[in-house]
Amino acid sequence: LLSEGLWTPAHVFNHNAQSIDFSMAGFPQAKSAFFQTMIGANPFAVFTAKRAMHHNLADAIPGAPEIPNDDKTEAAIARLIDSISRFQGFSGVLHPHFAYGRLTKAQYELAHAMHFNNHMIEIRLA
């Protein structure tokens, strides 16, 4: 796999795994409740209606640990698959998204899928 963006394919897969993990464990840094309710919910509603997300593909999750650039793509894919599997089996309380606020599990599933699909526009086969 090759990346046409600023991040390696491994970085993209690890970033998406981070996002899924944080929905279960809590995001390290969140926008204010006012932002989430009055501002963050609007783009999410648009993304949901279009079934597509568009965001800056080089933006890290606020406060997230830095993702090393030396990770192997196969290991990052395995991490993402593990995160997806744990999310599918998760029955606890999901934490608010750092920008969109409280989401149901179905909304998070859609958000994670749209997030991944948006990043994949920069990834191609070698």
Side-chain angles (χ1 to χ4, degrees), residues 58-118:
D59 277 351
I61 297 168
E66 189 170 328
I67 296 171
N69 280 327
D70 60 351
D71 203 2
K72 301 287 184 220
T73 301
E74 294 81 9
I77 291 170
R79 178 181 177 204
L80 177 59
I81 290 169
D82 179 63
S83 294
I84 293 168
S85 178
R86 283 185 293 102
F87 182 84
Q88 288 174 330
F90 188 75
S91 60
V93 175
L94 294 167
H95 291 264
H97 185 273
F98 74 92
Y100 307 142
R102 289 241 170 250
L103 300 177
T104 66
K105 189 166 187 178
Q107 288 171 318
Y108 254 127
E109 288 170 345
L110 181 58
H112 291 317
M114 291 187 299
H115 182 227
F116 178 77
N117 287 339
N118 189 199

Side-chain angles (χ1 to χ4, degrees), residues 34-47:
F34 175 82
F35 180 96
Q36 291 175 4
T37 304
M38 301 306 290
I39 299 168
N42 292 329
F44 184 71
V46 172
F47 297 153

